[in-house]
PDB file of all heavy atoms in Angstrom:
ATOM      1  N   HIS A  60       5.550 -10.679   7.584  1.00  0.00           N
ATOM      2  CA  HIS A  60       4.989  -9.902   8.651  1.00  0.00           C
ATOM      3  C   HIS A  60       4.200  -8.809   8.111  1.00  0.00           C
ATOM      4  O   HIS A  60       4.475  -8.140   7.098  1.00  0.00           O
ATOM      5  CB  HIS A  60       6.102  -9.460   9.601  1.00  0.00           C
ATOM      6  CG  HIS A  60       6.894 -10.451  10.276  1.00  0.00           C
ATOM      7  ND1 HIS A  60       6.262 -11.539  10.909  1.00  0.00           N
ATOM      8  CD2 HIS A  60       8.222 -10.698  10.437  1.00  0.00           C
ATOM      9  CE1 HIS A  60       7.099 -12.373  11.452  1.00  0.00           C
ATOM     10  NE2 HIS A  60       8.408 -11.862  11.178  1.00  0.00           N
ATOM     11  N   LYS A  61       3.183  -8.497   8.904  1.00  0.00           N
ATOM     12  CA  LYS A  61       2.375  -7.235   8.654  1.00  0.00           C
ATOM     13  C   LYS A  61       3.016  -6.036   9.243  1.00  0.00           C
ATOM     14  O   LYS A  61       2.716  -5.590  10.343  1.00  0.00           O
ATOM     15  CB  LYS A  61       0.886  -7.332   9.127  1.00  0.00           C
ATOM     16  CG  LYS A  61       0.231  -8.456   8.552  1.00  0.00           C
ATOM     17  CD  LYS A  61      -1.247  -8.773   9.132  1.00  0.00           C
ATOM     18  CE  LYS A  61      -1.834  -9.990   8.434  1.00  0.00           C
ATOM     19  NZ  LYS A  61      -3.130 -10.316   9.226  1.00  0.00           N
ATOM     20  N   LEU A  62       3.899  -5.411   8.359  1.00  0.00           N
ATOM     21  CA  LEU A  62       4.587  -4.294   8.815  1.00  0.00           C
ATOM     22  C   LEU A  62       3.950  -2.868   8.474  1.00  0.00           C
ATOM     23  O   LEU A  62       3.479  -2.735   7.301  1.00  0.00           O
ATOM     24  CB  LEU A  62       6.041  -4.294   8.165  1.00  0.00           C
ATOM     25  CG  LEU A  62       7.143  -3.197   8.638  1.00  0.00           C
ATOM     26  CD1 LEU A  62       8.547  -3.924   8.624  1.00  0.00           C
ATOM     27  CD2 LEU A  62       7.143  -2.085   7.675  1.00  0.00           C
ATOM     28  N   VAL A  63       3.988  -2.091   9.453  1.00  0.00           N
ATOM     29  CA  VAL A  63       3.464  -0.674   9.192  1.00  0.00           C
ATOM     30  C   VAL A  63       4.556   0.351   9.566  1.00  0.00           C
ATOM     31  O   VAL A  63       5.107   0.424  10.620  1.00  0.00           O
ATOM     32  CB  VAL A  63       2.310  -0.341  10.184  1.00  0.00           C
ATOM     33  CG1 VAL A  63       1.773   1.041   9.882  1.00  0.00           C
ATOM     34  CG2 VAL A  63       1.115  -1.349   9.721  1.00  0.00           C
ATOM     35  N   GLU A  64       4.836   1.290   8.588  1.00  0.00           N
ATOM     36  CA  GLU A  64       5.768   2.318   8.775  1.00  0.00           C
ATOM     37  C   GLU A  64       5.204   3.694   8.839  1.00  0.00           C
ATOM     38  O   GLU A  64       4.338   3.950   8.025  1.00  0.00           O
ATOM     39  CB  GLU A  64       6.892   2.261   7.586  1.00  0.00           C
ATOM     40  CG  GLU A  64       7.934   3.302   7.815  1.00  0.00           C
ATOM     41  CD  GLU A  64       8.978   3.157   6.686  1.00  0.00           C
ATOM     42  OE1 GLU A  64       9.827   2.351   6.683  1.00  0.00           O
ATOM     43  OE2 GLU A  64       8.922   4.048   5.895  1.00  0.00           O
ATOM     44  N   LEU A  65       5.283   4.439   9.915  1.00  0.00           N
ATOM     45  CA  LEU A  65       4.774   5.768  10.209  1.00  0.00           C
ATOM     46  C   LEU A  65       5.764   6.715  10.162  1.00  0.00           C
ATOM     47  O   LEU A  65       6.913   6.533  10.572  1.00  0.00           O
ATOM     48  CB  LEU A  65       4.150   5.734  11.616  1.00  0.00           C
ATOM     49  CG  LEU A  65       3.214   4.536  12.003  1.00  0.00           C
ATOM     50  CD1 LEU A  65       2.865   4.571  13.499  1.00  0.00           C
ATOM     51  CD2 LEU A  65       1.908   4.667  11.173  1.00  0.00           C
ATOM     52  N   THR A  66       5.468   8.007   9.582  1.00  0.00           N
ATOM     53  CA  THR A  66       6.295   9.135   9.470  1.00  0.00           C
ATOM     54  C   THR A  66       5.508  10.237  10.265  1.00  0.00           C
ATOM     55  O   THR A  66       4.407  10.621   9.946  1.00  0.00           O
ATOM     56  CB  THR A  66       6.621   9.522   8.072  1.00  0.00           C
ATOM     57  OG1 THR A  66       7.161   8.438   7.352  1.00  0.00           O
ATOM     58  CG2 THR A  66       7.434  10.766   7.994  1.00  0.00           C
ATOM     59  N   VAL A  67       6.230  10.570  11.334  1.00  0.00           N
ATOM     60  CA  VAL A  67       5.580  11.666  12.222  1.00  0.00           C
ATOM     61  C   VAL A  67       6.639  12.779  12.452  1.00  0.00           C
ATOM     62  O   VAL A  67       7.630  12.519  12.988  1.00  0.00           O
ATOM     63  CB  VAL A  67       5.198  11.119  13.708  1.00  0.00           C
ATOM     64  CG1 VAL A  67       4.435  12.158  14.447  1.00  0.00           C
ATOM     65  CG2 VAL A  67       4.291   9.778  13.433  1.00  0.00           C
ATOM     66  N   GLU A  68       6.271  13.856  11.939  1.00  0.00           N
ATOM     67  CA  GLU A  68       7.014  15.090  11.899  1.00  0.00           C
ATOM     68  C   GLU A  68       8.592  14.762  11.584  1.00  0.00           C
ATOM     69  O   GLU A  68       9.507  15.121  12.265  1.00  0.00           O
ATOM     70  CB  GLU A  68       7.062  15.691  13.304  1.00  0.00           C
ATOM     71  CG  GLU A  68       5.727  16.196  13.768  1.00  0.00           C
ATOM     72  CD  GLU A  68       5.688  17.062  15.130  1.00  0.00           C
ATOM     73  OE1 GLU A  68       6.864  16.988  15.682  1.00  0.00           O
ATOM     74  OE2 GLU A  68       4.657  17.517  15.376  1.00  0.00           O
ATOM     75  N   GLY A  69       8.687  14.066  10.502  1.00  0.00           N
ATOM     76  CA  GLY A  69      10.017  13.766   9.892  1.00  0.00           C
ATOM     77  C   GLY A  69      10.649  12.593  10.575  1.00  0.00           C
ATOM     78  O   GLY A  69      11.735  12.087  10.058  1.00  0.00           O
ATOM     79  N   LYS A  70      10.173  12.061  11.605  1.00  0.00           N
ATOM     80  CA  LYS A  70      10.831  10.780  12.265  1.00  0.00           C
ATOM     81  C   LYS A  70       9.915   9.510  11.870  1.00  0.00           C
ATOM     82  O   LYS A  70       8.767   9.570  11.706  1.00  0.00           O
ATOM     83  CB  LYS A  70      10.587  10.846  13.834  1.00  0.00           C
ATOM     84  CG  LYS A  70      11.372  12.126  14.310  1.00  0.00           C
ATOM     85  CD  LYS A  70      12.909  12.009  14.246  1.00  0.00           C
ATOM     86  CE  LYS A  70      13.526  13.084  15.066  1.00  0.00           C
ATOM     87  NZ  LYS A  70      14.999  13.019  14.906  1.00  0.00           N
ATOM     88  N   VAL A  71      10.712   8.456  11.654  1.00  0.00           N
ATOM     89  CA  VAL A  71      10.055   7.190  11.208  1.00  0.00           C
ATOM     90  C   VAL A  71       9.907   6.230  12.267  1.00  0.00           C
ATOM     91  O   VAL A  71      10.900   6.120  13.000  1.00  0.00           O
ATOM     92  CB  VAL A  71      11.012   6.585  10.026  1.00  0.00           C
ATOM     93  CG1 VAL A  71      10.245   5.341   9.533  1.00  0.00           C
ATOM     94  CG2 VAL A  71      11.131   7.553   8.845  1.00  0.00           C
ATOM     95  N   VAL A  72       8.659   5.760  12.411  1.00  0.00           N
ATOM     96  CA  VAL A  72       8.356   4.807  13.458  1.00  0.00           C
ATOM     97  C   VAL A  72       7.821   3.600  12.740  1.00  0.00           C
ATOM     98  O   VAL A  72       7.020   3.520  11.907  1.00  0.00           O
ATOM     99  CB  VAL A  72       7.245   5.303  14.497  1.00  0.00           C
ATOM    100  CG1 VAL A  72       6.937   4.132  15.468  1.00  0.00           C
ATOM    101  CG2 VAL A  72       7.801   6.523  15.207  1.00  0.00           C
TER     102      VAL A  72
END
Side-chain angles (χ1 to χ4, degrees):
H60 297 313
K61 296 176 181 176
L62 183 145
V63 176
E64 185 177 283
L65 309 168
T66 303
V67 183
E68 297 189 355
K70 300 290 184 177
V71 177
V72 175

